[in-house]
Amino acid sequence: MNRTIMICLAVLLVALGLTACTQAVSKAAAEQSAVPSAADSTEQNVLPESTEPPAPEMIDFEVNRYAVTAGAAAYLGGAEEQYKALVDAVCSKKETEPYTDEDAAKRAVEVFAETPYSALAEVAVKDGAFQITYTGSGDADTFDAAVKALVESCVYKDANEAEKALILYRTIASEFAQEGGENGSLYKTVTEQKGSAEDLANTLTYLFVQNGISADRVSGMVGESERSWTAAELS
């Protein structure tokens, strides 16, 4: 009987041992499944591929043929309509254009002489009309296309006035060649992207005005040299 009890105890101990072993194995397996594998950690820590920041959207620009500097606008006064009629006449290659007031017509011609389109023709005030003689040095559409391409290559839509002014200045400084010698026309400076220091100042002033920045060209003496600058009012 004692032997029988011992055998029963031995069987019971073996059974308890197997049960404990099974529970330990199950617990270890559960703990192992709760810990992420090296592969899982690698997948979780993978960074997205680097991408370039989105490029700013460039401006959709059209030339305003009538835009003038603040000083020119003040000088024109009531001659604005005569000035617009003269610009239209030259750009459409008309040989004459009537005016209604001779004094206003003379002021219009003076302001017109500062525009890029003055390179296309010479204008006289005579017999109640603008008398227009063409020089054969280009056409308005060619100039406008050059300005449009230049502005749309550097000015972006959301730029404020200060940003536009800086962008245009840097564009002139980096893409236009400064040359010595006589001053050229605004038309030639823009289409050929080169000119004297005064030509470049004129071009920058023109581009400022075209982009809605109030500006004028100013000049003065530095020592014995005459210099030109662009003065702008930024809001």
Coordinates of all heavy atoms in Angstrom, one line a residue, residues 64-139:
N64 N 1.4 96.8 -68.6 CA 0.5 97.9 -68.6 C 1.3 99.0 -69.4 O 2.2 99.7 -68.9 CB 0.2 98.4 -67.2 CG -0.7 99.6 -67.2 OD1 -1.1 100.1 -68.3 ND2 -1.0 100.1 -66.0
R65 N 0.9 99.2 -70.6 CA 1.6 100.2 -71.5 C 1.4 101.6 -71.0 O 2.2 102.5 -71.4 CB 1.1 100.1 -73.0 CG 1.5 98.8 -73.6 CD 1.0 98.7 -75.0 NE 1.5 97.5 -75.7 CZ 1.1 97.1 -76.9 NH1 0.2 97.8 -77.6 NH2 1.7 96.1 -77.5
Y66 N 0.4 101.9 -70.2 CA 0.2 103.3 -69.8 C 0.8 103.6 -68.5 O 0.8 104.8 -68.1 CB -1.3 103.5 -69.7 CG -2.1 103.1 -70.9 CD1 -3.2 102.3 -70.8 CD2 -1.8 103.5 -72.2 CE1 -4.0 101.9 -71.9 CE2 -2.5 103.1 -73.3 CZ -3.6 102.3 -73.1 OH -4.3 101.9 -74.2
A67 N 1.4 102.6 -67.8 CA 1.9 102.9 -66.4 C 3.1 103.8 -66.5 O 4.0 103.7 -67.4 CB 2.3 101.6 -65.8
V68 N 3.1 104.8 -65.6 CA 4.2 105.8 -65.6 C 4.7 105.9 -64.1 O 4.0 105.5 -63.2 CB 3.8 107.1 -66.2 CG1 3.5 107.0 -67.6 CG2 2.6 107.7 -65.4
T69 N 5.8 106.6 -63.9 CA 6.3 106.8 -62.6 C 5.4 107.8 -61.9 O 4.6 108.5 -62.5 CB 7.7 107.4 -62.6 OG1 7.7 108.7 -63.3 CG2 8.7 106.5 -63.4
A70 N 5.6 107.9 -60.6 CA 4.7 108.9 -59.8 C 5.0 110.3 -60.2 O 4.0 111.1 -60.4 CB 5.1 108.7 -58.3
G71 N 6.2 110.7 -60.5 CA 6.5 112.0 -61.0 C 5.9 112.3 -62.3 O 5.4 113.4 -62.6
A72 N 5.9 111.3 -63.2 CA 5.3 111.5 -64.6 C 3.8 111.7 -64.5 O 3.2 112.5 -65.2 CB 5.7 110.4 -65.5
A73 N 3.2 110.9 -63.6 CA 1.8 110.9 -63.4 C 1.4 112.3 -63.0 O 0.4 112.9 -63.4 CB 1.3 109.9 -62.5
A74 N 2.1 112.9 -62.0 CA 1.8 114.2 -61.5 C 2.0 115.3 -62.6 O 1.2 116.2 -62.7 CB 2.7 114.5 -60.3
Y75 N 3.0 115.1 -63.4 CA 3.3 116.1 -64.5 C 2.2 116.0 -65.6 O 1.8 117.0 -66.1 CB 4.7 115.8 -65.1 CG 5.0 116.7 -66.2 CD1 5.3 118.0 -66.0 CD2 5.0 116.3 -67.6 CE1 5.7 118.9 -67.0 CE2 5.3 117.2 -68.6 CZ 5.7 118.5 -68.3 OH 6.0 119.3 -69.3
L76 N 1.7 114.8 -65.9 CA 0.7 114.7 -66.9 C -0.6 115.4 -66.5 O -1.2 116.1 -67.3 CB 0.4 113.2 -67.1 CG 1.2 112.4 -68.2 CD1 0.8 110.9 -68.1 CD2 1.1 113.0 -69.5
G77 N -1.0 115.2 -65.3 CA -2.2 115.8 -64.8 C -3.4 115.5 -65.7 O -3.7 114.3 -66.0
G78 N -4.0 116.5 -66.3 CA -5.1 116.3 -67.2 C -4.8 115.8 -68.6 O -5.7 115.7 -69.4
A79 N -3.5 115.6 -68.9 CA -3.1 115.1 -70.2 C -3.0 113.6 -70.3 O -2.5 113.1 -71.3 CB -1.7 115.7 -70.5
E80 N -3.6 112.9 -69.3 CA -3.5 111.5 -69.3 C -4.1 110.8 -70.5 O -3.5 109.9 -71.1 CB -4.1 110.9 -68.0 CG -4.0 109.4 -67.8 CD -4.6 108.9 -66.6 OE1 -5.1 109.7 -65.8 OE2 -4.5 107.6 -66.4
E81 N -5.3 111.3 -70.9 CA -6.0 110.7 -72.0 C -5.2 110.9 -73.3 O -5.2 110.1 -74.2 CB -7.4 111.2 -72.1 CG -8.3 110.8 -71.0 CD -8.3 109.2 -70.8 OE1 -8.5 108.5 -71.8 OE2 -8.2 108.8 -69.7
Q82 N -4.6 112.1 -73.5 CA -3.8 112.4 -74.6 C -2.6 111.4 -74.7 O -2.2 111.0 -75.7 CB -3.3 113.8 -74.6 CG -4.4 114.9 -74.7 CD -5.1 114.9 -76.1 OE1 -4.4 114.8 -77.1 NE2 -6.4 115.0 -76.1
Y83 N -2.0 111.2 -73.5 CA -0.8 110.3 -73.4 C -1.2 108.9 -73.8 O -0.5 108.2 -74.6 CB -0.3 110.3 -72.0 CG 0.7 109.2 -71.7 CD1 2.0 109.3 -72.2 CD2 0.4 108.1 -70.9 CE1 2.9 108.3 -72.0 CE2 1.3 107.1 -70.7 CZ 2.5 107.2 -71.2 OH 3.5 106.2 -71.0
K84 N -2.3 108.4 -73.3 CA -2.8 107.0 -73.7 C -3.1 106.9 -75.2 O -2.7 105.9 -75.8 CB -4.1 106.7 -72.9 CG -3.8 106.4 -71.4 CD -5.1 106.1 -70.7 CE -4.9 105.7 -69.2 NZ -6.2 105.4 -68.5
A85 N -3.7 108.0 -75.7 CA -4.0 108.0 -77.2 C -2.7 107.9 -78.0 O -2.6 107.2 -79.0 CB -4.8 109.2 -77.6
L86 N -1.6 108.6 -77.5 CA -0.3 108.6 -78.2 C 0.3 107.2 -78.1 O 0.8 106.7 -79.1 CB 0.6 109.7 -77.6 CG 2.0 109.7 -78.1 CD1 2.1 109.9 -79.6 CD2 2.8 110.8 -77.4
V87 N 0.3 106.6 -76.9 CA 0.9 105.3 -76.8 C 0.2 104.3 -77.7 O 0.8 103.5 -78.4 CB 0.8 104.8 -75.3 CG1 1.2 103.3 -75.2 CG2 1.7 105.7 -74.4
D88 N -1.1 104.3 -77.7 CA -1.9 103.4 -78.6 C -1.5 103.7 -80.1 O -1.4 102.7 -80.8 CB -3.4 103.6 -78.4 CG -3.9 103.1 -77.1 OD1 -3.2 102.2 -76.5 OD2 -5.0 103.5 -76.6
A89 N -1.4 104.9 -80.5 CA -1.1 105.2 -81.9 C 0.3 104.7 -82.3 O 0.4 104.1 -83.3 CB -1.1 106.8 -82.1
V90 N 1.3 104.9 -81.4 CA 2.6 104.4 -81.8 C 2.6 102.8 -81.8 O 3.2 102.2 -82.7 CB 3.6 104.9 -80.8 CG1 5.0 104.3 -81.0 CG2 3.8 106.4 -80.9
C91 N 2.0 102.2 -80.8 CA 2.0 100.8 -80.7 C 1.3 100.1 -81.8 O 1.6 99.0 -82.2 CB 1.5 100.3 -79.3 SG 2.6 100.7 -77.9
S92 N 0.3 100.8 -82.4 CA -0.4 100.3 -83.5 C 0.1 100.8 -84.8 O -0.5 100.5 -85.9 CB -1.9 100.6 -83.4 OG -2.1 102.0 -83.3
K93 N 1.2 101.6 -84.8 CA 1.9 102.1 -86.0 C 1.1 103.0 -86.8 O 1.2 103.0 -88.1 CB 2.4 100.9 -86.8 CG 3.4 100.0 -86.0 CD 4.0 98.9 -86.9 CE 5.1 98.2 -86.1 NZ 5.8 97.1 -86.9
K94 N 0.3 103.8 -86.2 CA -0.4 104.9 -86.9 C 0.6 106.1 -87.1 O 1.5 106.3 -86.4 CB -1.6 105.4 -86.0 CG -2.7 104.4 -85.8 CD -3.7 104.8 -84.9 CE -4.6 105.9 -85.5 NZ -5.7 106.3 -84.5
E95 N 0.3 106.8 -88.2 CA 1.2 107.9 -88.5 C 0.8 109.2 -88.0 O 1.6 110.2 -87.8 CB 1.4 108.0 -90.1 CG 2.1 106.8 -90.7 CD 2.3 106.9 -92.2 OE1 1.8 107.9 -92.8 OE2 3.0 106.1 -92.7
T96 N -0.5 109.4 -87.7 CA -1.0 110.6 -87.1 C -2.1 110.2 -86.0 O -2.7 109.1 -86.2 CB -1.7 111.5 -88.1 OG1 -2.8 110.9 -88.7 CG2 -0.6 112.0 -89.1
E97 N -2.2 111.1 -85.1 CA -3.3 110.9 -84.0 C -3.7 112.3 -83.6 O -2.9 113.0 -83.1 CB -2.8 110.1 -82.9 CG -3.7 109.9 -81.7 CD -5.0 109.1 -82.1 OE1 -4.9 108.2 -83.1 OE2 -6.0 109.2 -81.5
P98 N -5.0 112.6 -83.8 CA -5.4 114.0 -83.4 C -5.4 114.2 -81.9 O -5.6 113.2 -81.1 CB -6.8 114.1 -84.0 CG -7.3 112.7 -84.1 CD -6.0 111.9 -84.4
Y99 N -5.2 115.4 -81.4 CA -5.3 115.7 -80.0 C -6.3 116.9 -79.9 O -6.6 117.6 -80.8 CB -4.0 116.1 -79.4 CG -3.2 117.2 -80.1 CD1 -3.6 118.5 -80.0 CD2 -2.1 116.9 -80.9 CE1 -2.9 119.5 -80.6 CE2 -1.4 117.9 -81.6 CZ -1.8 119.2 -81.4 OH -1.1 120.2 -82.1
T100 N -6.8 117.1 -78.7 CA -7.8 118.1 -78.4 C -7.2 119.3 -77.7 O -7.8 120.4 -77.8 CB -8.9 117.5 -77.5 OG1 -8.3 117.0 -76.3 CG2 -9.6 116.4 -78.2
D101 N -6.0 119.2 -77.1 CA -5.4 120.3 -76.4 C -3.9 120.3 -76.6 O -3.3 119.3 -76.3 CB -5.7 120.2 -74.9 CG -5.1 121.4 -74.1 OD1 -4.0 121.3 -73.7 OD2 -5.9 122.4 -73.9
E102 N -3.4 121.4 -77.2 CA -2.0 121.4 -77.6 C -1.0 121.3 -76.4 O 0.0 120.6 -76.4 CB -1.7 122.7 -78.4 CG -0.2 122.6 -78.9 CD 0.0 123.8 -79.9 OE1 -1.0 124.3 -80.5 OE2 1.2 124.1 -80.2
D103 N -1.4 122.0 -75.3 CA -0.5 122.0 -74.1 C -0.5 120.6 -73.5 O 0.6 120.1 -73.2 CB -1.0 123.0 -73.0 CG -0.2 122.9 -71.8 OD1 1.0 123.3 -71.9 OD2 -0.7 122.5 -70.7
A104 N -1.7 120.0 -73.4 CA -1.7 118.6 -72.9 C -1.0 117.6 -73.9 O -0.3 116.7 -73.4 CB -3.2 118.1 -72.8
A105 N -1.0 117.9 -75.2 CA -0.3 117.0 -76.2 C 1.2 117.2 -76.0 O 1.9 116.2 -76.1 CB -0.7 117.5 -77.6
K106 N 1.7 118.3 -75.7 CA 3.1 118.5 -75.5 C 3.6 117.8 -74.3 O 4.7 117.2 -74.2 CB 3.5 120.0 -75.4 CG 3.3 120.7 -76.8 CD 3.7 122.2 -76.6 CE 3.6 122.9 -78.0 NZ 3.9 124.4 -77.9
R107 N 2.8 117.9 -73.2 CA 3.2 117.1 -72.0 C 3.1 115.6 -72.2 O 4.0 114.9 -71.7 CB 2.2 117.5 -70.8 CG 2.6 118.8 -70.1 CD 1.7 119.1 -69.0 NE 0.4 119.6 -69.4 CZ -0.7 119.4 -68.8 NH1 -0.8 118.7 -67.7 NH2 -1.9 119.9 -69.3
A108 N 2.2 115.2 -73.0 CA 2.1 113.8 -73.3 C 3.3 113.3 -74.1 O 3.9 112.2 -73.8 CB 0.8 113.5 -74.1
V109 N 3.8 114.1 -75.0 CA 5.0 113.8 -75.8 C 6.2 113.7 -74.9 O 7.1 112.8 -75.0 CB 5.2 114.8 -76.9 CG1 6.6 114.6 -77.6 CG2 4.1 114.6 -78.0
E110 N 6.3 114.7 -73.9 CA 7.5 114.7 -73.0 C 7.5 113.4 -72.2 O 8.6 112.8 -71.9 CB 7.4 115.9 -72.1 CG 7.7 117.2 -72.8 CD 7.7 118.4 -71.9 OE1 8.5 118.3 -70.9 OE2 7.0 119.3 -72.1
V111 N 6.4 113.0 -71.6 CA 6.3 111.8 -70.8 C 6.6 110.6 -71.7 O 7.3 109.6 -71.3 CB 5.0 111.7 -70.1 CG1 4.8 110.3 -69.4 CG2 4.8 112.8 -69.1
F112 N 6.0 110.6 -72.9 CA 6.2 109.5 -73.8 C 7.7 109.2 -74.1 O 8.1 108.1 -74.3 CB 5.4 109.7 -75.1 CG 5.6 108.7 -76.2 CD1 4.9 107.5 -76.1 CD2 6.5 108.8 -77.2 CE1 5.1 106.5 -77.1 CE2 6.7 107.9 -78.2 CZ 6.0 106.7 -78.1
A113 N 8.5 110.3 -74.2 CA 9.9 110.2 -74.5 C 10.6 109.3 -73.4 O 11.7 108.8 -73.7 CB 10.5 111.6 -74.6
E114 N 10.0 109.2 -72.2 CA 10.7 108.4 -71.2 C 10.2 106.9 -71.2 O 10.7 106.1 -70.4 CB 10.3 109.0 -69.8 CG 10.8 110.4 -69.6 CD 12.3 110.6 -69.7 OE1 13.0 109.7 -69.2 OE2 12.8 111.6 -70.3
T115 N 9.4 106.6 -72.1 CA 8.8 105.2 -72.2 C 9.6 104.3 -73.1 O 10.4 104.8 -74.0 CB 7.4 105.2 -72.6 OG1 7.3 105.5 -74.1 CG2 6.5 106.2 -71.9
P116 N 9.5 103.0 -73.0 CA 10.2 102.1 -73.9 C 9.8 102.3 -75.4 O 10.6 102.0 -76.3 CB 9.9 100.7 -73.4 CG 8.7 100.9 -72.6 CD 8.8 102.2 -72.0
Y117 N 8.5 102.7 -75.6 CA 8.0 102.8 -76.9 C 8.5 104.0 -77.7 O 8.3 104.1 -78.9 CB 6.5 102.8 -76.9 CG 5.9 101.7 -76.0 CD1 5.3 101.9 -74.8 CD2 6.1 100.3 -76.4 CE1 4.9 100.9 -74.0 CE2 5.7 99.3 -75.6 CZ 5.0 99.6 -74.4 OH 4.6 98.6 -73.6
S118 N 9.2 104.9 -77.0 CA 9.8 106.1 -77.7 C 11.0 105.6 -78.6 O 11.3 106.4 -79.5 CB 10.3 107.1 -76.7 OG 11.4 106.5 -75.9
A119 N 11.5 104.4 -78.4 CA 12.5 103.9 -79.3 C 12.0 103.5 -80.6 O 12.7 103.4 -81.6 CB 13.2 102.7 -78.6
L120 N 10.7 103.4 -80.7 CA 10.0 102.9 -82.0 C 9.8 104.1 -82.9 O 9.7 103.9 -84.1 CB 8.7 102.2 -81.7 CG 8.7 101.1 -80.6 CD1 7.3 100.5 -80.5 CD2 9.7 100.0 -81.0
A121 N 9.6 105.3 -82.4 CA 9.2 106.4 -83.3 C 9.5 107.7 -82.6 O 9.7 107.9 -81.4 CB 7.7 106.3 -83.5
E122 N 9.6 108.7 -83.5 CA 9.8 110.1 -83.1 C 8.4 110.8 -83.2 O 7.7 110.5 -84.2 CB 10.8 110.8 -83.9 CG 12.2 110.3 -83.7 CD 13.3 111.0 -84.6 OE1 12.8 111.8 -85.4 OE2 14.5 110.7 -84.5
V123 N 8.0 111.6 -82.3 CA 6.7 112.2 -82.3 C 6.8 113.8 -82.3 O 7.6 114.3 -81.5 CB 5.9 111.8 -81.1 CG1 4.5 112.4 -81.1 CG2 5.8 110.2 -81.1
A124 N 6.1 114.4 -83.1 CA 6.0 115.9 -83.1 C 4.5 116.3 -82.9 O 3.6 115.6 -83.3 CB 6.5 116.4 -84.4
V125 N 4.4 117.5 -82.3 CA 3.0 118.1 -82.1 C 2.8 119.1 -83.2 O 3.5 120.2 -83.2 CB 2.9 118.7 -80.7 CG1 1.5 119.4 -80.6 CG2 3.1 117.6 -79.7
K126 N 1.9 118.9 -84.1 CA 1.8 119.8 -85.3 C 0.4 119.7 -85.9 O -0.1 118.6 -86.1 CB 2.9 119.5 -86.3 CG 3.0 120.4 -87.5 CD 4.1 120.0 -88.4 CE 4.1 120.9 -89.7 NZ 5.2 120.5 -90.6
D127 N -0.1 120.8 -86.2 CA -1.4 120.9 -87.0 C -2.5 120.1 -86.4 O -3.3 119.4 -87.1 CB -1.2 120.4 -88.5 CG -0.1 121.3 -89.2 OD1 0.0 122.5 -88.9 OD2 0.6 120.7 -90.1
G128 N -2.6 120.2 -85.1 CA -3.7 119.5 -84.4 C -3.6 118.0 -84.2 O -4.6 117.3 -83.9
A129 N -2.4 117.5 -84.5 CA -2.3 116.0 -84.4 C -0.8 115.6 -84.0 O 0.1 116.4 -84.3 CB -2.6 115.3 -85.7
F130 N -0.7 114.5 -83.4 CA 0.7 113.9 -83.2 C 1.1 113.4 -84.6 O 0.5 112.6 -85.2 CB 0.6 112.7 -82.2 CG 0.2 113.1 -80.8 CD1 -1.0 112.6 -80.3 CD2 1.0 113.9 -80.0 CE1 -1.4 112.9 -79.0 CE2 0.6 114.2 -78.7 CZ -0.6 113.7 -78.2
Q131 N 2.3 113.9 -85.0 CA 2.9 113.4 -86.2 C 4.0 112.4 -85.9 O 5.0 112.7 -85.2 CB 3.5 114.6 -87.0 CG 2.6 115.7 -87.2 CD 1.4 115.3 -88.2 OE1 1.6 114.5 -89.1 NE2 0.3 115.9 -88.0
I132 N 3.8 111.1 -86.3 CA 4.6 110.0 -85.9 C 5.5 109.5 -87.0 O 5.0 109.1 -88.1 CB 3.7 108.9 -85.3 CG1 2.8 109.4 -84.2 CG2 4.6 107.7 -84.8 CD1 1.7 108.5 -83.8
T133 N 6.8 109.5 -86.8 CA 7.8 109.0 -87.8 C 8.5 107.8 -87.2 O 9.1 107.9 -86.1 CB 8.8 110.0 -88.1 OG1 8.1 111.2 -88.6 CG2 9.7 109.5 -89.2
Y134 N 8.4 106.6 -87.8 CA 8.9 105.4 -87.2 C 10.4 105.2 -87.6 O 10.8 105.5 -88.7 CB 8.1 104.2 -87.7 CG 6.7 104.2 -87.1 CD1 5.6 104.8 -87.7 CD2 6.4 103.7 -85.8 CE1 4.4 104.9 -87.1 CE2 5.2 103.8 -85.2 CZ 4.2 104.4 -85.9 OH 3.0 104.5 -85.3
T135 N 11.1 104.6 -86.6 CA 12.6 104.4 -86.8 C 12.9 103.1 -87.2 O 14.1 102.8 -87.6 CB 13.3 104.7 -85.5 OG1 12.8 103.8 -84.5 CG2 13.0 106.2 -85.0
G136 N 12.0 102.1 -87.2 CA 12.3 100.8 -87.6 C 13.1 100.0 -86.7 O 13.9 99.1 -87.0
S137 N 13.1 100.4 -85.4 CA 14.0 99.7 -84.4 C 13.3 98.7 -83.5 O 13.8 98.3 -82.5 CB 14.6 100.8 -83.5 OG 13.6 101.6 -82.9
G138 N 12.2 98.2 -83.9 CA 11.5 97.1 -83.2 C 10.0 97.4 -83.2 O 9.4 98.2 -83.9
D139 N 9.3 96.6 -82.3 CA 7.8 96.8 -82.2 C 7.4 96.6 -80.8 O 8.1 95.9 -80.0 CB 7.1 95.9 -83.1 CG 7.3 94.4 -82.8 OD1 6.6 93.9 -81.9 OD2 8.2 93.8 -83.4

